Amino acid sequence: MMMRLSSLLIALVLGGATLARAGTTLTVAAYPDIDRAVKEAAPQFKKLHPDVEIKVISRAIVDHHNAMTTALSTGSNLPDVLAIEFGFIGRFAASGGMESLSQPPYNAGQFQDKFVRFSYPQATSGSSGLIAMPTDIGPGSLFYRKDILDKAGVTEADLTRTWESYIEAGKKIKAATGAYLLPHVREIKDIYIRSNLRSGEGIYLDRNNTVLVDGPRFVKAFELAKAARAAKLDAKLQHWTNEWTEAFKRGTLATELMGAWLGGHLQNWIAPDSKGLWRAANLPNGAYASWGGSFYGIPKKAEHKELAWEFIKFMTLNKDIQLASFRKINAFPALVEAHDDPAFEEPIEYLGGQKARTMWRAAAAHIPATDVNKYDPVAEEIVNSELDKVLDEGKDIKAALADAKALIQRRVRR
């Protein structure tokens, strides 16, 4: 009798969903290459749930998150499972439209020790709790074109010794080959402000909503970005645009600062013809930072919540599924159990046979657990706007950051 009541309670909490009715379609909204990971895993999930069909709705990464932001605000056209890139966690948490996986009937806190230490905090925001389960992480990495460096007489050590040596190497590369050092100098700022944070520290605000953007971390980040722009080292390209992907294909970019997952994107769809030309290194100046990462969450108005939760656990807690995504799309596993697999020792052909995964695994162990704040998206937008004023209008750095702090404080007080 108690078991029947318990089952009824779970069904009521989940909106009356049953785990798998005949002909049930579970809808998953995703973006490249997470959509590939879902499609690859779908047949294995179907073996466990024969009556379930997986429908993947795939959009480009920016289009996906814009569409899901709209869907959460209107409460319509929502999937059962929603893939979320780390940079959008704060926005989705603030929407109030996501299930808190920390709470019953999910109780996802019981699994926290199974994941790398910084992944749960990345998807946890204030009163919302954990809004999504981590599936892959993004240890920050410096990707570079070895052939371009060779032509310029530049070494990997020149790129990574310090941030200043990275910029100096860029000057040599530009002079010798015409290639830009990186797509946009904002990336230097983005990586620098995320590097070597203390566990529990926020990027833009602390736990008491104290704004941090006028501190030395941001001043140095702005100074480095300004120096790189002054030397005309960036192509002034925005991530995920056609121009950005074309620059990779044409070989006009010498480096890119991103998460380890970029290797999979380069190999699978951005620049597959550049196989063997790219390499990966740790970030300059011995920095360690998390850059991106993917998560699965459940909208409050999802139709099949119980089944969605089963699917999310299947994608995130199953070692074999995590490793399959690792091999197929280079999605670095968030599940610690997967890190001991021999796959980490395998050479990556796209990276010229480099065994880069062991480097990324070591980097992941150094990355702290940083707090996510619901004001992070607006803080990032304001900081980027002030950086543009420094780069394009010559605004004083400290004045720009003071203005950024005031604007963020104003938004927090609303």
Side-chain angles (χ1 to χ4, degrees):
M1 181 66 177
M2 289 297 294
M3 290 181 64
R4 290 179 61 189
L5 287 173
S6 177
S7 298
L8 178 60
L9 177 61
I10 291 176
L12 288 171
V13 171
L14 293 170
T18 56
L19 190 56
R21 296 192 187 104
T24 298
T25 298
L26 185 75
T27 304
V28 182
Y31 50 88
D33 271 342
I34 296 302
D35 53 355
R36 289 189 62 205
V38 173
K39 291 173 183 176
E40 292 281 347
Q44 298 300 315
F45 187 76
K46 191 170 176 60
K47 288 180 181 179
L48 300 174
H49 303 277
D51 295 329
V52 176
E53 297 294 332
I54 304 291
K55 179 182 178 181
V56 181
I57 300 174
S58 181
R59 299 179 179 91
I61 186 167
V62 175
D63 294 338
H64 164 79
H65 288 94
N66 286 341
M68 292 302 100
T69 298
T70 300
L72 286 168
S73 67
T74 62
S76 59
N77 299 316
L78 285 163
D80 298 303
V81 177
L82 173 51
I84 311 170
E85 201 276 333
F86 168 64
F88 295 86
I89 288 286
R91 181 193 297 183
F92 285 11
S95 75
M98 300 296 296
E99 288 281 301
S100 175
L101 303 184
S102 309
Q103 302 300 318
Y106 310 104
N107 300 313
Q110 65 184 301
F111 304 119
Q112 183 166 357
D113 290 344
K114 294 181 178 292
F115 294 91
V116 294
R117 61 176 179 169
F118 61 86
S119 60
Y120 259 53
Q122 283 185 325
T124 302
S125 179
S127 59
S128 299
L130 184 76
I131 70 158
M133 286 281 281
T135 184
D136 65 66
I137 58 174
S141 189
L142 169 62
F143 289 87
Y144 65 90
R145 278 280 296 257
K146 186 177 186 302
D147 57 327
I148 294 177
L149 264 65
D150 289 345
K151 288 178 184 177
V154 170
T155 66
E156 179 183 301
D158 294 329
L159 290 176
T160 61
R161 189 175 301 113
T162 64
W163 283 105
E164 288 77 12
S165 73
Y166 174 68
I167 292 172
E168 288 303 312
K171 294 176 183 178
K172 293 180 182 178
I173 291 168
K174 186 77 181 294
T177 70
Y180 292 103
L181 177 63
L182 74 171
H184 201 289
V185 295
R186 188 183 299 133
E187 297 172 23
I188 297 176
K189 180 269 295 179
D190 286 337
I191 287 287
Y192 193 89
I193 64 174
R194 288 167 171 80
S195 298
N196 301 334
L197 296 174
R198 297 186 298 272
S199 287
E201 188 175 5
I203 297 172
Y204 300 99
L205 304 98
D206 67 15
R207 291 177 179 177
N208 298 317
N209 284 335
T210 301
V211 182
L212 308 173
V213 302
D214 59 340
R217 175 163 51 97
F218 281 82
V219 172
K220 181 66 172 180
F222 271 46
E223 288 174 347
L224 290 169
K226 183 179 179 180
R229 172 60 61 82
K232 300 180 179 180
L233 300 183
D234 69 324
K236 301 181 181 179
L237 300 176
Q238 304 297 325
H239 287 161
W240 312 115
T241 61
N242 290 334
E243 293 79 10
W244 179 71
T245 56
E246 279 300 311
F248 283 107
K249 293 173 183 175
R250 294 173 183 169
T252 58
L253 296 174
T255 77
E256 177 63 294
L257 299 161
M258 258 195 183
W261 42 263
L262 177 64
H265 290 301
L266 289 171
Q267 173 183 306
N268 295 327
W269 65 277
I270 294 177
D273 293 337
S274 298
K275 178 181 177 180
L277 300 179
W278 286 91
R279 301 290 187 275
N282 281 320
L283 296 171
N285 203 42
Y288 295 103
S290 173
W291 188 247
S294 301
F295 301 79
Y296 293 113
I298 304 173
K300 286 182 177 178
K301 294 194 175 181
E303 183 178 357
H304 305 293
K305 294 180 185 178
E306 187 177 3
L307 188 60
W309 179 229
E310 290 302 312
F311 181 77
I312 289 173
K313 288 190 292 182
F314 179 76
M315 294 297 295
T316 60
L317 289 164
N318 186 312
K319 178 182 177 181
D320 292 336
I321 296 300
Q322 286 267 292
L323 288 171
S325 296
F326 187 38
R327 291 189 177 96
K328 287 286 185 180
I329 65 172
N330 218 30
F332 199 94
L335 187 69
V336 173
E337 181 187 2
H339 291 190
D340 293 331
D341 193 85
F344 279 82
E345 306 291 338
E346 295 172 0
I348 302 174
E349 290 186 22
Y350 187 85
L351 298 179
Q354 181 184 4
K355 294 183 179 180
R357 292 162 177 160
T358 55
M359 175 185 68
W360 295 328
R361 179 174 60 189
H366 288 86
I367 296 172
T370 55
D371 280 0
V372 171
N373 191 292
K374 68 178 181 180
Y375 296 108
D376 281 348
V378 68
E380 181 176 39
E381 183 180 334
I382 290 170
V383 167
N384 284 342
S385 176
E386 289 299 324
L387 177 60
D388 287 341
K389 292 175 183 177
V390 169
L391 299 174
D392 301 332
E393 303 171 15
K395 187 172 182 177
D396 177 74
I397 288 175
K398 290 188 177 179
L401 290 172
D403 288 346
K405 180 177 183 178
L407 286 168
I408 296 167
Q409 286 175 329
R410 195 176 306 159
R411 294 294 294 271
V412 171
R413 287 195 295 264
R414 281 185 181 177

